Amino acid sequence: MDQNLLQDAKEHSSNSYVHLKDAENTQLGIFDRPLPCCGCGIGWFSFLLGFVFPFMWYYATILYFGNYYQKDPRERAGLAANAIAALIFTVAALIAVAVVVL
């Protein structure tokens, strides 16, 4: 990352957050603000809460397929983990129902 961009951010005296753009990829960069939900992001927070309330995995999966991570690329990994967890939970639930019914 170019040190000039970091220096420009230090000189920015506004109370708003500063997004430092990457020279190669303008969508990615260093974000000055912390992620929501205790700093771990909506994706990982939903993933952890999903072990108690599995419908949170489905909520985060909807966010993932709705491209919510375009707002903040740091959310992508957590939302993808929720999509995988929702898939595994659905398969396990279907197998459990099939065993009980049959």
Side-chain angles (χ1 to χ4, degrees), residues 46 49-50 52-61 89:
S46 298
L49 192 60
V52 177
F53 187 65
F55 290 108
M56 289 299 292
W57 289 331
Y58 295 107
Y59 169 71
T61 301
F89 178 76

Side-chain angles (χ1 to χ4, degrees), residues 30-50:
I30 299 172
F31 288 83
D32 192 26
R33 64 181 176 92
L35 289 170
C37 297
C38 304
C40 66
I42 293 171
W44 289 114
F45 184 76
S46 298
F47 181 75
L48 294 174
L49 192 60

